[in-house]
Each structure stands twice: as C-alpha cells, then as structure tokens.
Amino acid sequence: MLGAAACGGPAAGIAPPAAPPVAGMPCLGYNGLDGTVNPPAQVAAGLFRAPGTAPVKVASGTDVDWGLDPYRNRTWQLWLHSLEWLGGLIGAGDGPSLERAAAIVRDWLHDNASPGRLSADRREAVEEGTKFRLITMTCLRARYRARWLDEAIARHASWLADPRHYSGPWNHGTDESMILLAAGCAIGRPDLADIGHRRLVEAMLDPPGGARPAIDAEGAGNEQSAHYAVYNRGRWRLALKTMRACGRPVPAEMDRRLGLLDEFIAFQLTPAGDLLQIGESYAGRASEISRRGRGPIEHVASGGRRGTPPKARARVYQAGYVMGRSGWKRNAMAYTARFGPGRFAHGQDDHMALTFFAAGRDLIVPGGHAGYSDPSWRKLLRSPDSHNTLVVRGAQLRPDAATALTAHRFAPGADTFSFTDTAYTGTTRTRSVLVASGPDAMVVLDGARSTEPRTAEQLWHLPAAFTAAPVADGAVARAGRVRVDFLGIPLPGAGTLPAQVAQGWIAPAERTVLKAPVVHMSGAGTDVRMLTLIAPSRNGARPRVRTTAGPGGTLRAETRIAGRRLAFEVAADGSLRRLP
C-alpha cells in the first residue's frame, strides 16, 4: 500500500539503500501545477487549483480532504492526488514552506493508507497519481531529509517497478520509467534505477511485445498525435538528461532518434506555424514549442527567418504518415495523409484522412480534441465522422485495422499516393490522391467495394471560419477572400448522390467545440467510386472540368484554377498522375 508506514518506523518489505544516493539529480518538474497556478501563498491558505478551474478550499492547515471532487472530474482528482501542486512550496525552499509541503505529503500518506476503504474514483486517482507523487517527493527530498520520506519514495518506486504497473512504450511509460530511475538514484536503490533505465532504452530501441518504438528509426513518434509528439519531445529530452545525471549510459541511437523527432513535428506544422490537430491534439503554435533550437521547428516558427528546414519537402513515415508541401516558405501549400497500424494511444480513427493548407490558410482540417472529461465528445471527435476520410455507412468499423500505402511518388508540381484497407467489415476501401502545386489543388479518387449495397461518403471538414453551400456539381465554401470549390467529376458507370453540407464540429481546445461546415460527397451501391477536385482560390471563379476518355480505360481531365492549367489522368487501376 502506497500510504502505509506513513509517519516513520520500519516499512515492511522496503529494502535499505544499497548504494550512496546520487547527488544532483534533476527535479523532473510539476506539470505546470506549481508557479502561478498554485503559488505558495495560495497553498498556505488551503487552496488547490487544477489547470482551467478556479481554486478550491481543500485544506485546513495541512489537513487535506482527499475525497473532494467538486467538479466531478477525474483529471481534477488526479492532479489533487499528484501532490505536484506543492511544487511552489518546494521551489520556495525556505524552512516554513518545506515543512508545510512535508506535512501535506505525510497527511496524504496517512489518509490514503487503506485503499480498500476509498471510493473507486479516489482509488483510481491514487493509482494514476503514483508517478507524479513520486516526482514531488523526490524533488522534496533534495531539500528536506527524513526517513519516512525515503521509505515513502521507496514504496512508490517499488510499486512502479512492478511489471503490472508499467504502461509500456508511450508517454505514461516514459514518465514512469524516468521517475523510477530518478527516485532509485536519489535514495540509493540501484535495483530500482536499473529497471527504469532498462525500460527507457527498450521503449525507444526494442519495445517488448511487438509494440512500435516510442520514437522509431525515422524519428516518428508512436502515439499518432501531433500534440503528443511535441509533449514527448520534452519528456524524452528530460529522460536522457536523467539517465546521464544518474550515471547510466545513453545509446547514441537514442540521441539520433530524438533529434529526428523535430523534423517529424515540423511536417505537422502548417506554413503559417500552426500545429495540425492530428490525433488527440489541441490547437497550438510552433512558437509555443520550447527549446526549438536551430532546426526545422525554429524554421517554421520564425517564418523561415531562422533555423534550417528539412532537406526533403515531402516524406513517408512508416509509422503511418504521408506529409508534404510545395516548399518550406510561408506561402507554401501543404498536406498530410494518414495510414499504417490501427489506432493506438492518442490516435484517432483517421486512416486515409487528409489535411490541406493553401491560399495562406487551413482549408481541410481534422475535428480536433476537446479533452477527456466528456466521453461522448471524445468518441465523436476520434471517429471517422470527424475526419476527412471515406466513411461506409451501415458497416462496422474495426479501429485496430491497418491501412496500407500501396504507392507513392513525389515529383515537382504533383505528389501522388494510394491507400487500401478493409477497416469496414465487408468492404474494401481505396483512396488515390494527387496533390498539385501551381495551381494548388487536390484530386481524390475513392472506392468502396462491399458485399452488399452501402452508402459511402467523402467527408470534408472546413475550419469554423468558413461557410459552405451545395451546388449542382458539388459544393463551394468561403472565408473572407478565400474560396474552396469541391467538384464531383463524373466517372463512367459510377453513380453519385447530390452533395450536401452539414454542420460539424471543430474542437481547438479542452471543453471547447465550434460549429463548422462539413461537405458530404456520396455514392451508393456495392461498388462506389467517386472522383473529387478540391480547388482553392482567392475570389476566383468556379473551375470547369473537361473530361475525355483515354487509351486503356483511362480518363483525362483538364481545368483551370485561378487562371492556371491543371490536367491529370485517372488510370484504369485507380492511380492518378498529373499531365504536362
């Protein structure tokens, strides 16, 4: 039990130090719960504040009511039981502040010594908060020494060392392993430190059980989320620093992969410097990323004035991303597409989903992320209906299904790629994409071959600033001077339904959802095929597309977008190519 033997005396089953404590271990931080969120004076007044909420009276002196849950919010309870809100007191470093922090820690240990008596929600907060409390207690130990504190640290660390409590190679496991390493070194327990070190190395270089590495050899994170790629960048920097401070070796390959993560993140930044909301991601800016260095993140954040861009303008990451742009300038066109293994960690059901940036702004975007406190919103926003993908109505989705990248080619003026999967039961989906620059446009050919008649819908999510309306051959959307035309191009033998525009949702931040239009392009039958042109312009006219039958069952199409010619060919096998 994590709270047992709270007030001194021998703790059963806790091994004594086997080596001198390592001096100078870094404090691993408090997840932003210290400082201005919970300053020492506020904590001294018995108040606790979780991010995004008002301060709540939780204590009389140092006697805290650990059963409080005023917002009926599991995250609020987690942060209360994390003890990280004591970071301001610990950072102050004066005697009274440290004594107050120590007294609140002892109060937690005493009041949570018998988990069986606690409510289910409180037990969950106690367990999930273990690693965070261990950070707080280890940081406190650097300035306040007591036998009961070392024993509490050892109990918490031993709990984390148990394989049943290891989360694996993603951010929870990274934090657990790093904290276990730091705590073991701080109290002279190399056995515990060794477990933390081994788990960190394995998580990145050789994860057990066939899991994808936390950062793979190409520099891609495994959590399928742009936000968590940025978050993990900071956590792994701290993890490697902790390994070195504890005297443990850091393989050169870990340093190399961490360096490559910056390029992976840069491809998920728009030319305007916005972080795309791929996976469970809040809206963010490149300029908000800390310690950007002189590489690709700083290049995007500075609008190209500083930093070094990636050498390539387009890349495939085997973790499940096709990402590219016309260049690394502020006025470039950019796109992303998702494929690869099934949903994992903070991923969403976004296979085959596209994003599109042109005309200086986001045009096609994911639904975003509203946090974890409302399961219904989380379910909706991670579903295919919140992504720019092909949805098959009436067929069951398998979130664990993989999507294959079957072809790709990056060439000046035209990037092409194709996907296929069987994520919907009884249906084979295909998607071929041509992303053109000069003029900037997207051509998307979708197919859904099913064992019984189904309706398949292309969904195109626009930012909240847009309005949209259906027209005879598709839809048109506008935001200020920017216009986006969606044109359904007829295919021989393929029947389509009239386009529709519905209200959708964009979630840029926690508990924040905005109304936004969604264009639906649909077809029905056992073999649905749809060809769509997405053409942005600034106050341009609606493009007119002329098609002709080519040799070998090909279809050739030609149009002009903002006065510039675009011609392309649809091959009989469904592949796309731009014509000169």
Side-chain angles (χ1 to χ4, degrees):
M1 291 182 291
L2 298 175
C7 298
I14 300 300
V22 176
M25 289 302 299
C27 177
L28 300 183
Y30 306 100
N31 282 299
L33 268 73
D34 56 338
T36 58
V37 176
N38 287 285
Q42 177 178 292
V43 177
L47 298 172
F48 160 70
R49 179 186 170 201
T53 67
V56 173
K57 182 75 171 179
V58 297
S60 175
T62 59
D63 181 14
V64 178
D65 183 350
W66 300 104
L68 288 174
D69 184 13
Y71 294 100
R72 297 191 179 278
N73 184 316
R74 60 189 297 268
T75 302
W76 189 94
Q77 278 195 307
L78 170 63
W79 290 135
L80 176 68
H81 285 268
S82 75
L83 301 184
E84 291 189 307
W85 48 286
L86 303 179
L89 292 174
I90 297 169
D94 59 276
S97 293
L98 294 174
E99 289 291 346
R100 181 176 295 277
I104 293 175
V105 171
R106 293 185 80 171
D107 183 69
W108 186 93
L109 294 167
H110 179 272
D111 290 359
N112 293 281
S114 301
R117 299 179 180 178
L118 307 180
S119 68
D121 287 347
R122 182 169 167 183
R123 281 198 308 273
E124 183 179 356
V126 165
E127 288 201 0
E128 289 191 16
T130 301
K131 61 187 177 185
F132 302 120
R133 280 192 306 279
L134 186 53
I135 289 177
T136 302
M137 292 189 293
T138 304
C139 292
L140 176 61
R141 188 193 182 280
R143 299 187 173 194
Y144 181 97
R145 301 296 174 86
R147 181 180 176 185
W148 66 263
L149 181 57
D150 280 6
E151 290 171 348
I153 291 172
R155 277 193 305 278
H156 278 65
S158 296
W159 191 90
L160 284 182
D162 187 328
R164 294 173 298 177
H165 302 145
Y166 175 49
S167 299
W170 61 305
N171 75 81
H172 287 202
T174 303
D175 279 348
E176 292 159 4
S177 303
M178 170 172 54
I179 294 160
L180 179 57
L181 171 62
C185 286
I187 62 173
R189 287 288 302 276
D191 57 325
L192 297 173
D194 286 346
I195 294 172
H197 177 258
R198 172 176 54 78
R199 287 177 179 173
L200 287 170
V201 174
E202 288 180 350
M204 191 183 292
L205 302 184
D206 189 22
R212 290 195 62 85
I215 305 175
D216 69 16
E218 295 180 313
N222 69 350
E223 298 200 32
Q224 303 175 352
S225 159
H227 170 86
Y228 280 94
V230 174
Y231 176 77
N232 285 324
R233 176 181 182 267
R235 301 314 288 172
W236 275 105
R237 283 178 173 232
L238 186 55
L240 300 195
K241 177 181 178 181
T242 303
M243 290 166 68
R244 292 187 170 100
C246 202
R248 297 303 196 275
V250 177
E253 176 65 7
M254 295 183 74
D255 277 318
R256 189 189 75 86
R257 293 188 182 194
L258 182 56
L260 291 177
L261 182 62
D262 280 15
E263 186 167 310
F264 177 66
I265 293 170
F267 272 105
Q268 295 175 81
L269 296 167
T270 71
D274 294 308
L275 183 69
L276 287 166
Q277 290 186 262
I278 296 174
E280 291 183 332
S281 300
Y282 301 124
R285 296 281 298 164
S287 57
E288 297 168 349
I289 299 174
S290 63
R291 299 177 62 190
R292 296 185 297 274
R294 300 178 180 179
I297 295 177
E298 176 61 15
H299 183 82
V300 177
S302 67
R305 295 185 299 274
R306 298 180 299 276
T308 304
K311 294 180 180 179
R313 63 162 189 84
R315 279 203 60 174
V316 170
Y317 285 92
Q318 294 306 315
Y321 300 79
V322 182
M323 300 187 285
R325 56 191 67 205
S326 56
W328 289 96
K329 301 296 185 181
R330 173 65 178 79
N331 62 349
M333 173 277 299
Y335 68 88
T336 69
R338 286 276 292 119
F339 70 100
R343 191 180 74 211
F344 175 73
H346 292 286
Q348 296 178 326
D349 297 320
D350 59 357
H351 280 184
M352 299 192 186
L354 305 170
T355 70
F356 190 28
F357 178 101
R361 64 172 303 143
D362 285 313
L363 304 177
I364 303 295
V365 296
H369 180 50
Y372 306 99
S373 58
D374 189 326
S376 60
W377 274 113
R378 188 185 186 196
K379 181 179 180 180
L380 172 64
L381 291 168
R382 74 181 180 189
S383 74
D385 280 286
S386 293
H387 296 280
N388 305 297
T389 189
L390 182 67
V391 177
V392 181
R393 301 299 178 193
Q396 183 177 356
L397 174 73
R398 296 184 296 114
D400 61 344
T403 297
L405 174 68
T406 56
H408 75 277
R409 182 173 183 267
F410 303 139
D415 293 347
T416 57
F417 44 91
S418 301
F419 306 121
T420 187
D421 69 19
T422 55
Y424 284 94
T425 302
T427 298
T428 297
R429 290 192 305 175
T430 58
R431 167 164 281 189
S432 294
V433 181
L434 184 156
V435 186
S437 58
D440 298 338
M442 231 179 217
V443 180
V444 182
L445 174 63
D446 281 340
R449 182 168 294 177
S450 305
T451 56
E452 58 183 285
R454 298 286 189 193
T455 297
E457 294 184 40
Q458 287 180 342
L459 303 182
W460 303 114
H461 292 260
L462 292 140
F466 276 83
T467 58
V471 294
D473 57 351
V476 60
R478 292 182 174 88
R481 296 179 58 243
V482 175
R483 169 184 177 131
V484 184
D485 286 285
F486 298 84
L487 289 93
I489 301 173
L491 293 170
T496 57
L497 302 173
Q500 296 182 326
V501 175
Q503 181 201 296
W505 302 96
I506 300 293
E510 186 173 16
R511 299 186 181 187
T512 303
V513 290
L514 307 174
K515 295 179 181 179
V518 185
V519 174
H520 294 243
M521 310 285 280
S522 306
T526 56
D527 190 6
V528 177
R529 296 171 69 232
M530 290 180 284
L531 180 63
T532 301
L533 170 67
I534 303 174
S537 62
R538 286 187 170 89
N539 288 336
R542 186 167 181 82
R544 295 182 179 181
V545 180
R546 182 169 59 89
T547 61
T548 57
T554 62
L555 178 75
R556 293 181 174 179
E558 184 175 346
T559 187
R560 300 190 73 83
I561 301 171
R564 306 184 73 175
R565 176 177 178 270
L566 174 66
F568 58 92
E569 180 182 80
V570 183
D573 64 0
S575 60
L576 300 172
R577 71 182 181 99
R578 186 170 183 175
L579 299 175

